[in-house]
Amino acid sequence: MEQALKRQDSPANSVRMSPTYIGSMPNGTEQGDFLVLELGTKGASLRVLWVTLTDTKEQCVKPKSQEFVIPQEVMLGTGKQLFDFAAHCMSEFLDAHTLKNQNLKLGFNFPFPCHQTGLDRSTLISWTKGFRCSGVEGQDVVQLLRQAIQRQKAHCIDVVAMVNDTVGIMMDCKCDSKFCDVGLIVDTGTNACYMEEARHVKALDNDHGRTCISIEWGSFCDEATLGPVLTTFDHALDCESLDPGAQRFEKMIGGLYLGELVRLVLVHFAQHGILFGGCTSPALLSQGSILLEHVIKMEDPATGKAEILAVLQDLGLSPQVSDVEHVQHVCAAVCTRAAQLCAAALAAVLSHLQRSREQQTLHVAVATGGRMLEKHPRFHQTLKEMVMLLVPECDVSFIPSVDDGGQGVAMVTAVAARLAAHKRILEDTLAPFQLSFEQLKMVQAQMRTAMIKGLQGEASSLRMLPTYVRATPDGSERGDFLALDLGGTNFRVLLVRVVEGSVQITNQVYSIPEHTAQGSGEQLFDHIVDCIVDFQQSQGLSGHSLPLGFTFSFPCKQLGLDQAILLNWTKGFSASGCEGQDVVNLLREAIRRKQGVELDVVAIVNDTVGTMMSCGYDDPRCEIGLIVGTGTNACYMEELQNVASVEGNSGRMCINMEWGAFGDDGTLGMFLTRFDDCVDQASINPGKQRFEKMISGMYLGEIVRHILLHLTSLGALFRGQMTQSLQTRDIFKTKFLSEIESDGLALRQVRAILEDLGLPLTSDDALMVLEVCQAVSRRAAQLCGAGMAAVVEKMRENRGLQELTVSVGVDGTLYKLHPHFSNLVSATVQKLAPHCKVTFLQSEDGSGKGAALVTAVACRLAQRASV
């Protein structure tokens, strides 16, 4: 089994392990009328069913059905004859039951070895069960049936799914309202199927979810394994069969062959004088004279002996009492071996499932069908006992099929119809998130226009704020610097030592009590200075006046390298007397109030600039900073002559774009979805930061949640059942996108993540949630890439270069932790700015190290100017 799943060539992998392309189980919402055609499931017969599925507890109304005997000349004739006969029977059935429907959906039960390449594409490998129709092997049997239906011209029938009888039985059975994971059939032939992890099936491109595998174990013929248990009777039966050397395992188990095995044993005993006084009869010597029905009846504990007597007399024999007992023993031996071999094969499936699902105890339900399991007096019990003996670590429930899989085939068809409808809903919902190259070029062009307007002081959604940082590190910076990183209720004080070839950092985290963050500005800045003094003392720096860089991650209007007016508090701060004031001046005043303390505040920077400078020390080509975390922003080195608000025409200056607000003037309107609008309206700043709300970590989880709500309302997700958790704002954190989209994460792990959120779901639901997450994060990364492409293209044209080589320093949890975000950003930039060679560098401590390096560069430039 495992070699065949991996497509490894080996004599042992004579089991085919064929994917059936059924990856979904019923979820109880399937409804409608479905037509089923069963061809050859019980030998020389054909059955047509009309199955009605409802949303009631029973779900299935008692189906209408009709059985047709397939003439011998049709079984051995041409494929066209067989499929025309099948199409004629369906038409006769529909006419007789006055069943009219414009577009009938058909499930086709075809229980022969096939190579399936899709749910409705299946090539016959070889005939079994006495069928030998010419021109069918190697052909797509679904297409042959469709052609026959078209030739009838009586009804409009759409063949939706091709299913074998084993899969039909598995889909037909429930255990405590849950569907079975394994199907087993022992009738004329034998086979099993089970739900395998898709990632284990090399023939599939899909790594997610599960898929039903038809083992086709009747063809198992490994000589090393079967050799010791093959008898002379097995060899004789194989030689006289229609397919010598094939289906060796099935010939030891399947009902088509058990009667013949019994006959061969009886002939042997008679010829050796053990039975019937050494006499045989022409009937006993005739192939096929003892059938499965005879064997089943002969083993009946109550009436078996009388049945044996009648059968033997019909064969022209005169049995003694002892003969009857011996014949019953022969039947028991043949059928017990069949049940035990079947149990050994089933145990192999169950132990494989236990290992692949990494479960200490596998709890599994096995759907069973076929006359041997249903009617033989001891087969089922022998099978069950042997399975328990071989795999004691598996808790197995055996669930008998009520309709030999006919309703199950209808269920497969219904599930396929449901999934197709849900796929259309999902595609329509996610279509606005699939951005074309032309749309991304449009975003890039709009960003470029907004940048130019912002730089010129014209009305624009981009502020394009000068930071007064005029250079990036060149590697010559040396010295000790203090850095202060204030961006939330915890803040850091750092000692940054810049030496040749490295930057050494020592830091300590301090907390800001709520009453301080919401008290007066004087209290807040006094507390900050107290913490700086404490840090100096712990580092032995008391009395030293070191240059200090101040990372202040709140909205400011910067007037100089050491001047920044606080526009408004965010993140839970509301200290009075600060908004509209120069925060550097507020810090300096607090330093003056603390007698004996000397600090030289050289620069105030935001985290984006700090990120650029942090990476710039290691790579002199780093002239862009990018943050994609809770929020998003970018900065870059612009030609000073293009910055209208700052005097001077020579040199460059770092521009803080504040690009989260891009599109607040309506330019992004055509790219906004209903889900973006829902998130925006529920935010604390409706109509603001529209670009940020499509990209950053604070909002992506909410976009996903609103999409899931929409899909649930349409019945495409979670069975259409709204849960309280799904309606809870911010329950779907952006970190879940990173976890769900992680490569190699099994679907059961995705399900576990979602179930922890109180979202009871199926594997289909988990796959749909995965697609939603992928669409939302992909759009975010592509929009980010389009914005970055606008920046690098402007820099290239500013400098009159045919090709720009530049690095981008990046920070932020979304960029760093999401498994695909960084690659998508890079790929988008490469497409939109093909003349720019852009390298993305992940920043380490941009807020602390970066602020110190801004200070170090400022000190270097000041020293050069004084010289």
Side-chain angles (χ1 to χ4, degrees):
M1 284 170 59
E2 289 169 358
Q3 288 172 341
L5 285 174
K6 296 173 186 174
R7 288 294 187 260
Q8 294 176 349
D9 292 328
S10 165
N13 67 354
S14 49
V15 289
R16 295 191 176 92
M17 303 302 286
S18 304
T20 64
Y21 295 86
I22 295 168
S24 303
M25 302 300 284
N27 69 4
T29 65
E30 291 78 15
Q31 296 182 55
D33 296 320
F34 300 93
L35 192 63
V36 174
L37 170 64
E38 296 179 339
L39 199 161
T41 55
K42 288 184 170 58
S45 68
L46 173 155
R47 188 167 70 137
V48 183
L49 299 91
W50 178 275
V51 181
T52 300
L53 299 177
T54 68
D55 58 357
T56 61
K57 185 177 180 182
E58 291 75 21
Q59 198 171 5
C60 184
V61 175
K62 184 174 174 62
K64 299 180 177 69
S65 68
Q66 186 174 345
E67 194 156 343
F68 300 85
V69 175
I70 303 175
Q72 184 75 7
E73 62 270 20
V74 173
M75 291 177 64
L76 302 176
T78 66
K80 183 176 181 295
Q81 284 178 285
L82 176 66
F83 287 101
D84 280 347
F85 177 78
H88 173 76
C89 291
M90 284 193 291
S91 183
E92 183 180 316
F93 169 81
L94 292 169
D95 290 340
H97 291 83
T98 61
L99 298 170
K100 299 290 183 181
N101 200 312
Q102 287 300 309
N103 188 11
L104 299 167
K105 296 190 182 304
L106 172 71
F108 182 24
N109 185 341
F110 190 74
F112 300 93
C114 287
H115 174 58
Q116 204 156 348
T117 55
L119 190 58
D120 63 345
R121 297 188 303 276
S122 192
T123 302
L124 176 65
I125 296 170
S126 59
W127 284 114
T128 58
K129 307 180 184 182
F131 283 76
R132 303 299 290 171
C133 297
S134 62
V136 182
E137 292 180 350
Q139 300 298 312
D140 182 349
V141 292
V142 175
Q143 191 59 27
L144 293 175
L145 177 60
R146 283 174 175 153
Q147 290 168 357
I149 291 169
Q150 289 169 0
R151 286 194 291 270
Q152 281 288 317
K153 298 179 182 179
H155 297 274
C156 182
I157 299 172
D158 177 19
V159 187
V160 173
M162 211 245 18
V163 188
N164 68 31
D165 49 352
T166 320
V167 177
I169 282 170
M170 183 184 76
M171 296 291 276
D172 189 29
C173 294
K174 286 184 184 178
C175 177
D176 296 331
S177 299
K178 291 185 179 179
F179 284 84
C180 299
D181 271 358
V182 182
L184 168 65
I185 192 165
V186 189
D187 197 281
T188 312
T190 182
N191 191 20
C193 66
Y194 71 101
M195 297 302 291
E196 175 65 87
E197 303 296 319
R199 67 182 186 277
H200 295 156
V201 187
K202 191 173 181 182
L204 298 178
D205 294 330
N206 183 17
D207 285 341
H208 295 291
R210 292 176 180 170
T211 189
C212 180
I213 294 293
S214 176
I215 301 173
E216 300 292 347
W217 72 15
S219 61
F220 179 54
C221 58
D222 179 30
E223 285 294 331
T225 303
L226 290 185
V229 293
L230 286 169
T231 66
T232 55
F233 310 110
D234 295 305
H235 291 301
L237 182 147
D238 180 54
C239 289
E240 67 185 24
S241 69
L242 289 171
D243 50 358
Q247 300 295 110
R248 296 305 301 270
F249 193 61
E250 182 170 84
K251 288 169 183 173
M252 302 167 80
I253 295 175
L256 186 64
Y257 308 99
L258 295 186
E260 186 62 9
L261 281 172
V262 168
R263 185 189 70 83
L264 290 170
V265 175
L266 298 186
V267 169
H268 174 78
F269 283 160
Q271 289 174 341
H272 284 76
I274 298 169
L275 286 177
F276 318 133
C279 299
T280 61
S281 68
L284 181 64
L285 295 173
S286 299
Q287 183 181 353
S289 57
I290 298 179
L291 304 175
L292 173 62
E293 289 77 7
H294 297 144
V295 175
I296 290 173
K297 290 177 180 178
M298 287 192 291
E299 279 207 70
D300 188 285
T303 61
K305 290 182 178 179
E307 184 65 31
I308 291 170
L309 193 61
V311 169
L312 294 177
Q313 287 172 347
D314 286 346
L315 292 173
L317 298 167
S318 303
Q320 303 295 316
V321 173
S322 60
D323 292 333
V324 171
E325 290 181 356
H326 289 324
V327 170
Q328 197 163 39
H329 282 309
V330 169
C331 291
V334 169
C335 293
T336 298
R337 183 189 70 160
Q340 291 177 335
L341 286 171
C342 188
L346 182 59
V349 176
L350 298 175
S351 61
H352 169 78
L353 281 177
Q354 184 201 16
R355 289 195 306 275
S356 65
R357 297 183 185 180
E358 299 172 6
Q359 294 178 0
Q360 192 168 1
T361 301
L362 177 72
H363 299 279
V364 66
V366 178
T368 62
R371 283 171 293 175
M372 284 300 292
L373 285 160
E374 292 166 4
K375 296 183 178 180
H376 191 279
R378 293 182 303 101
F379 192 96
H380 184 277
Q381 188 61 30
T382 304
L383 171 82
K384 185 177 178 181
E385 290 171 357
M386 185 55 65
V387 167
M388 290 173 64
L389 185 67
L390 293 172
V391 280
E393 65 278 11
C394 297
D395 176 20
V396 188
S397 303
F398 291 89
I399 314 298
S401 168
V402 294
D403 188 46
D404 286 342
Q407 294 180 24
V409 176
M411 193 64 79
V412 171
T413 310
V415 169
R418 169 175 62 80
L419 290 177
H422 289 178
K423 184 179 181 182
R424 287 191 295 271
I425 291 171
L426 181 65
E427 288 174 349
D428 291 345
T429 301
L430 297 182
F433 289 86
Q434 317 297 331
L435 300 180
S436 66
F437 176 78
E438 289 71 23
Q439 287 175 308
L440 292 170
K441 286 292 285 184
M442 193 180 300
V443 173
Q444 179 186 8
Q446 290 173 345
M447 176 76 80
R448 172 71 179 272
T449 301
M451 289 170 68
I452 294 170
K453 286 183 177 180
L455 288 169
Q456 293 173 349
E458 299 176 14
S460 172
S461 59
L462 292 178
R463 292 180 183 173
M464 304 301 285
L465 302 172
T467 66
Y468 298 87
V469 173
R470 298 173 184 268
T472 55
D474 66 2
S476 67
E477 294 79 13
R478 301 287 184 275
D480 291 346
F481 304 90
L482 284 177
L484 177 62
D485 177 15
L486 178 62
T489 52
N490 289 328
F491 76 103
R492 293 182 304 152
V493 184
L494 306 93
L495 171 62
V496 180
R497 185 158 287 157
V498 183
V499 298
E500 186 173 356
S502 70
V503 177
Q504 300 161 6
I505 299 173
T506 305
N507 75 87
Q508 189 166 337
V509 177
Y510 295 89
S511 64
I512 299 178
E514 188 177 345
H515 68 269
T516 302
Q518 298 176 2
S520 69
E522 194 169 296
Q523 283 178 291
L524 173 63
F525 282 93
D526 283 347
H527 176 73
I528 290 170
V529 172
D530 286 340
C531 295
I532 296 171
V533 170
D534 177 77
F535 179 77
Q536 285 183 307
Q537 290 172 347
S538 69
Q539 298 299 316
L541 297 172
S542 297
H544 291 73
S545 179
L546 297 179
L548 184 144
F550 186 10
T551 297
F552 188 74
S553 302
F554 297 91
C556 289
K557 179 180 180 182
Q558 204 155 346
L559 303 176
L561 188 59
D562 61 349
Q563 289 177 279
I565 307 299
L566 175 63
L567 299 177
N568 58 276
W569 284 116
T570 57
K571 307 176 188 179
F573 281 69
S574 60
S576 61
C578 297
E579 292 181 353
Q581 300 298 311
D582 180 353
V583 291
V584 175
N585 196 45
L586 293 174
L587 179 61
R588 284 172 174 158
E589 288 175 356
I591 293 167
R592 283 194 290 270
R593 285 193 295 273
K594 190 80 173 178
Q595 296 179 353
V597 177
E598 291 186 26
L599 293 170
D600 179 16
V601 186
V602 173
I604 182 167
V605 298
N606 71 17
D607 52 355
T608 317
V609 178
T611 295
M612 179 187 76
M613 298 296 276
S614 173
C615 293
Y617 183 79
D618 300 314
D619 182 353
R621 296 175 303 181
C622 184
E623 297 183 82
I624 304 171
L626 172 65
I627 299 284
V628 193
T630 308
T632 184
N633 193 17
C635 67
Y636 71 102
M637 297 303 292
E638 177 61 83
E639 306 304 310
L640 191 57
Q641 64 185 9
N642 295 333
V643 186
S645 60
V646 179
E647 292 183 3
N649 290 320
S650 62
R652 293 171 183 158
M653 179 172 287
C654 179
I655 297 296
N656 172 19
M657 295 177 67
E658 292 293 344
W659 82 358
F662 174 55
D664 287 0
D665 57 359
T667 52
L668 285 176
M670 68 177 294
F671 302 106
L672 294 169
T673 68
R674 57 188 293 182
F675 312 109
D676 295 305
D677 290 336
C678 288
V679 171
D680 178 56
Q681 290 303 311
S683 68
I684 59 172
N685 56 348
K688 305 294 184 185
Q689 301 294 106
R690 297 310 301 265
F691 194 58
E692 181 169 86
K693 288 171 184 172
M694 301 169 80
I695 291 178
S696 73
M698 181 175 279
Y699 304 101
L700 296 192
E702 267 299 277
I703 295 173
V704 167
R705 187 180 71 85
H706 279 283
I707 296 173
L708 301 186
L709 279 170
H710 173 71
L711 293 171
T712 305
S713 71
L714 296 177
L717 196 59
F718 307 136
R719 300 181 186 87
Q721 298 170 4
M722 288 287 183
T723 60
Q724 187 61 45
S725 58
L726 191 59
Q727 297 177 70
T728 304
R729 186 178 169 188
D730 292 327
I731 192 170
F732 204 96
K733 306 295 183 187
T734 298
K735 71 170 185 175
F736 295 137
L737 274 75
S738 299
E739 293 174 6
I740 287 169
E741 293 186 60
S742 294
D743 292 328
L745 194 67
L747 203 63
R748 60 187 172 82
Q749 293 166 296
V750 175
R751 288 183 64 173
I753 291 168
L754 297 170
E755 284 167 354
D756 285 345
L757 296 175
L759 301 174
L761 74 170
T762 64
S763 294
D764 296 330
D765 292 332
L767 282 171
M768 192 172 284
V769 172
L770 173 62
E771 284 196 53
V772 171
C773 291
Q774 288 171 334
V776 171
S777 59
R778 186 190 307 113
R779 183 190 68 162
Q782 288 177 327
L783 287 172
C784 185
M788 191 49 57
V791 172
V792 296
E793 271 296 302
K794 187 173 190 311
M795 291 175 69
R796 183 182 70 82
E797 292 177 20
N798 281 348
R799 300 174 189 187
L801 299 173
Q802 258 197 311
E803 185 168 293
L804 172 72
T805 300
V806 68
S807 297
V808 182
V810 194
D811 205 349
T813 51
L814 179 60
Y815 185 93
K816 287 183 172 181
L817 300 182
H818 190 282
H820 308 298
F821 196 95
S822 58
N823 289 335
L824 286 167
V825 171
S826 180
T828 304
V829 173
Q830 193 173 355
K831 279 185 182 178
L832 298 176
H835 300 294
C836 298
K837 185 179 179 182
V838 184
T839 303
F840 290 85
L841 308 170
Q842 290 197 19
S843 166
E844 293 180 14
D845 196 9
S847 298
K849 176 182 171 183
L853 286 168
V854 169
T855 306
V857 170
C859 291
R860 170 172 61 81
L861 294 177
Q863 289 170 359
R864 185 180 298 171
S866 65
V867 171

